[in-house]
Amino acid sequence: MPSLRLFTSPVRLLAGLLLVTSTLASLPACANTYPLPAAGSRIIGQNLFHEVADDGGSLEAIAKKYNVGFLAMLQANPGVDPYVPRAGSVLTIPRQMLLPDAPREGLVVNLAELRVYYYPAGQNSVTVYPIGIGQLGGDTMTPTMQTTVSDKRANPTWTPTANIRARYLANGIKLPAVVPAGPDNPMGHHAIRLAAYGGVYLLHGTNADFGIGMRVSSGCIRLRDDDIKALYREMPVGTPVSIINTPIKVSVEPDGRRLVEVHQPLSKSIDDDPKVLPIVLNEQMKQFQAAPETDAQIMAQAMLHRSGMPVEVNANAI
């Protein structure tokens, strides 16, 4: 059976190892900004590698160090203990990706990736942030939409909906009608309101040190505090926002490389297992898979493995 070929060259692999080794102790959590690729290309970034130290912290702490999401780390490192990764083991940091198949403008949120892509106007760059999204079930699921930024607020208050208050009450927590700004406010220090659906969906920060790269919210899009602060500062009202749900992305690069990136689909039911949920291919992706230049067996393995990282699927590739 053919093996998966993650698209990381030996030179980049060595560079990644050296980079992590030399900066491990001091690497801050920061936005991951990349130059836009050349015309016809969709690949950005490169994976890094992290050697777990003694008492190296949880997978969530390591994910935060590199500003990637928790589930992205799990997909890239199957079998790792999320609470106490084994000291001396080397973890893949998934910081290489294909840009979503969407216009490169404003904000593009791919729910299945648990990532948001920001294309600042007039700049040849994209900044990628990990996000938390709506929980499974009912009105807590984050919907897809085409909309714009309608408002921005620093130190926002939180007005939980009647449904949210009822859910909390069922768990023994009585929420006030309005939660004031401050350390107990789950929206953090900054909020960006979206125009669609009457303005009920926001991008906002958090007062919790977990949940980024997971399905944890009541439908809004949650970012780490430094990330939402940067977006709040840089992204103007009126910015277009596209929220999509695409677990698989493909690209034929200008040099002929054929790449596929597969994420676990979002569950729709409590009984769903995203590791084995069927992935539906659109017509373009079916043509990509059926092309003689694509090794269909390797692509099938990538769809089974669901690493969340680009995999080369060229037929007869060395």
Side-chain angles (χ1 to χ4, degrees):
M1 179 176 294
S3 60
L4 298 183
R5 296 185 288 267
L6 294 180
F7 180 67
T8 303
S9 70
V11 171
R12 288 187 175 183
L13 176 64
L14 178 59
L17 286 168
L18 291 175
L19 174 63
V20 173
T21 301
S22 63
T23 62
L24 190 57
S26 59
L27 183 68
C30 58
N32 299 327
T33 298
Y34 310 92
L36 289 179
S41 174
R42 293 176 61 188
I43 193 163
I44 59 172
Q46 66 182 69
N47 295 330
L48 301 177
F49 303 89
H50 173 99
E51 183 174 354
V52 180
D54 292 330
D55 192 22
S58 67
L59 199 65
E60 163 63 28
I62 296 169
K64 184 176 181 180
K65 180 183 290 288
Y66 294 97
N67 205 21
V68 298
F70 177 71
L71 287 182
M73 286 289 291
L74 280 179
Q75 288 182 135
N77 300 278
V80 67
D81 186 329
Y83 301 104
V84 188
R86 182 171 54 85
S89 60
V90 176
L91 302 178
T92 300
I93 309 299
R95 293 221 323 208
Q96 183 179 69
M97 63 210 77
L98 300 178
L99 293 174
D101 188 12
R104 298 178 186 179
E105 62 177 5
L107 207 66
V108 178
V109 179
N110 189 357
L111 300 174
E113 285 186 74
L114 294 157
R115 286 185 187 131
V116 58
Y117 297 78
Y118 177 50
Y119 301 91
Q123 299 184 36
N124 191 43
S125 66
V126 58
T127 301
V128 185
Y129 301 103
I131 57 173
I133 63 171
Q135 302 170 47
L136 176 65
D139 62 349
T140 61
M141 296 177 70
T142 308
T144 59
M145 66 180 87
Q146 299 292 323
T147 186
T148 60
V149 172
S150 63
D151 187 28
K152 303 194 298 183
R153 297 284 176 91
N155 299 313
T157 58
W158 179 41
T159 305
T161 66
N163 286 341
I164 291 174
R165 294 175 68 191
R167 270 201 315 277
Y168 273 75
L169 191 60
N171 291 315
I173 303 172
K174 185 176 181 179
L175 287 177
V178 178
V179 178
D184 295 327
N185 189 321
M187 293 178 65
H189 300 298
H190 298 85
I192 299 171
R193 188 174 301 277
L194 304 181
Y197 294 94
V200 298
Y201 293 101
L202 303 97
L203 289 82
H204 62 75
T206 177
N207 65 346
D209 197 28
F210 64 91
I212 303 303
M214 300 174 66
R215 300 182 70 177
V216 291
S217 79
S218 295
C220 289
I221 295 168
R222 182 183 298 184
L223 293 92
R224 294 189 175 109
D225 253 14
D226 286 346
D227 292 347
I228 190 65
K229 183 178 180 180
L231 271 182
Y232 179 91
R233 180 179 64 247
E234 298 169 13
M235 189 171 63
V237 169
T239 296
V241 177
S242 176
I243 301 182
I244 61 177
N245 180 10
T246 307
I248 182 169
K249 300 180 289 184
V250 299
S251 177
V252 180
E253 291 293 297
D255 61 5
R257 285 174 289 131
R258 304 177 73 83
L259 304 174
V260 61
E261 177 184 326
V262 187
H263 297 262
Q264 295 177 6
L266 297 181
S267 303
K268 296 182 180 179
S269 159
I270 192 66
D271 297 322
D272 289 341
D273 182 354
K275 295 179 181 178
V276 297
L277 273 178
I279 296 176
V280 179
L281 301 182
N282 62 25
E283 192 58 37
Q284 176 192 5
M285 292 177 184
K286 289 178 181 177
Q287 292 176 9
F288 177 94
Q289 184 180 44
E293 297 86 359
T294 297
D295 188 316
Q297 191 174 1
I298 296 179
M299 182 166 174
Q301 285 296 307
M303 292 175 64
L304 179 67
H305 190 56
R306 304 178 184 193
S307 70
M309 297 179 288
V311 174
E312 185 177 344
V313 295
N314 288 69
N316 303 317
I318 297 175

